[in-house]
Amino acid sequence: MSGPLLRCEGVVRRFGAVMALNGVTLEVAPRERRAIIGPNGAGKTTLFNVITGELPLSAGRIEFDGRPISGLPPDAIARRGTSRSFQRTNLFSALSVRENLRLAAAAGAPGNYRLFAPPARLRSSLAVAEEVAAAVGLERRLDEPAGRLSHGEQRQLEIGVALATRPKLLLLDEPTAGMSPDETQQMARLLAGLPRAVTLLIIEHDMDVVFALADRVTVLHYGEVLVEGPPEAVRADARVYEVYLGTA
Ligand SMILES: Nc1ncnc2c1ncn2[C@@H]1O[C@H](COP(=O)(O)OP(=O)(O)O)[C@@H](O)[C@H]1O
Ligand SMILES: [Mg+2]
C-alpha cells in the first residue's frame, strides 16, 4: 500500500460547548512511529477515542488502510487491524501471562475473547503468545498469574495483549504514566524494540521517551494541530516550547 495507514481529515469532536477536537488533519504512514503530545485537555485521548470508534465524530472523516472507518463500531474498527492499550488495566489477573496473551491472540480482536478455539488455532495462538511475551520482555514470566506481576510488568503485559491481536496500528495512551524512572526506561526499550511492521501512535508525556522513539511528533493544543514534524524540529519550535515544553 502506498497511501497513509491512518488519515484523519478535519476531525471535530464537541462536548457541549467544548471543542475537544477542532478540525484535526493528520496522516500516519505505514511503519511510522508517531507521538502525540500536548498539554492536559488538548484532545489527545479524545483523538484516540474517535479513531477507535469509542466516540463518534461531530464532523470530519477518518480512513484506515485506505477505507473510511468513521461511524463503524469499535469492534469493527479493531478487526480492520487496530489495537489499543488502555491506561486502566485490561488483564485477567488470575490467569497466567501466557493465557492472557493466548486469549488475545486467539480472539484476533480485543474484547472478543474466544474461549473455545479449534485446536489448530489454539496452537498458533500459543506460538503468538510466546513470541509476544518475548517482544514485551515477559518471556521468563509466562507462567506467572497476571495479578502477581509488578506494576511495570502489568503495563508491559497490557501492551502484549494489544500486540497479540496482531494489529497494523497500535495505539498507546501514556504507557509510562505512573511509572518509576526505571520502569519508564524499561518501557522505552520495549517500545523501541517493537516490530517495525506495527505502526505506532503513542500519546506520551515523557519527552525523553518521545524524542528517542518517534519518527514524527504531532503537537495538539486546544483540539488543533499546533505543529507537526520530526522530533528535532518540534523540540526547537518556539510555539511548542511556549505552550508545552516550557511547562513540562
Ligand atoms: N467524555 C467527555 N465528556 C465531556 N468532556 C470531555 C469528555 N472527554 C473529554 N472531554 C473534554 O475534552 C477536552 C479534551 O480532553 P482529552 O481528550 O481527555 O485531553 P488530553 O487527553 O489531551 O488530556 C477536555 O476539555 C476534556 O474536559
Ligand atoms: Mg489523555
Side-chain angles (χ1 to χ4, degrees), residues 28-45:
V28 180
R31 308 172 74 83
E32 186 181 338
R33 291 171 172 176
R34 172 72 59 94
I36 310 282
I37 66 171
N40 269 336
K44 304 180 299 292
T45 298

Side-chain angles (χ1 to χ4, degrees), residues 99 102-107 112-123 125:
E99 285 299 287
R102 190 183 63 80
L103 289 170
N112 180 26
Y113 290 93
R114 213 183 277 201
L115 291 167
F116 301 102
R121 196 158 176 215
L122 206 60
R123 263 201 310 280
S125 300

Side-chain angles (χ1 to χ4, degrees), residues 6-206:
L6 177 72
R7 182 155 177 271
C8 298
E9 195 188 316
V11 168
V12 174
R13 172 67 208 198
R14 291 185 204 92
F15 295 106
V18 175
M19 296 291 270
L21 297 172
N22 190 11
V24 170
T25 295
L26 60 85
E27 289 188 353
V28 180
R31 308 172 74 83
E32 186 181 338
R33 291 171 172 176
R34 172 72 59 94
I36 310 282
I37 66 171
N40 269 336
K44 304 180 299 292
T45 298
T46 302
L47 179 63
F48 273 24
N49 286 335
V50 298
I51 292 169
T52 58
E54 270 132 271
L55 284 175
L57 306 182
S58 305
R61 179 183 169 84
I62 303 179
E63 286 174 12
F64 180 72
D65 219 359
R67 293 192 292 166
I69 54 168
S70 11
L72 295 180
D75 59 325
I77 294 174
R79 277 197 301 274
R80 296 278 182 92
T82 69
S83 191
R84 174 180 193 171
S85 167
F86 283 92
Q87 260 171 287
R88 71 165 186 275
T89 184
N90 197 22
L91 307 173
F92 297 103
S93 57
L95 298 185
S96 67
V97 167
R98 180 186 280 106
E99 285 299 287
N100 271 279
L101 293 173
R102 190 183 63 80
L103 289 170
N112 180 26
Y113 290 93
R114 213 183 277 201
L115 291 167
F116 301 102
R121 196 158 176 215
L122 206 60
R123 263 201 310 280
S124 69
S125 300
L126 197 53
V128 170
E130 290 176 359
E131 215 175 276
V132 167
V136 299
L138 292 173
E139 68 273 32
R140 285 188 300 276
R141 306 288 271 156
L142 276 162
D143 295 313
E144 197 69 17
R148 298 236 309 256
L149 299 177
S150 72
H151 175 253
E153 287 173 330
Q154 291 193 7
R155 307 296 297 275
Q156 289 166 238
L157 181 55
E158 285 167 19
I159 291 178
V161 165
L163 207 54
T165 66
R166 284 155 284 181
K168 292 176 185 157
L169 176 68
L170 179 62
L171 301 105
L172 304 174
D173 192 346
E174 303 204 7
T176 71
M179 285 189 165
S180 70
D182 278 355
E183 289 172 335
T184 297
Q185 271 197 9
Q186 164 89 2
M187 179 58 75
R189 277 197 297 274
L190 182 167
L191 295 174
L194 288 180
R196 261 288 169 178
V198 182
T199 304
L200 211 54
L201 193 57
I202 177 174
I203 298 171
E204 180 53 55
H205 65 277
D206 187 308

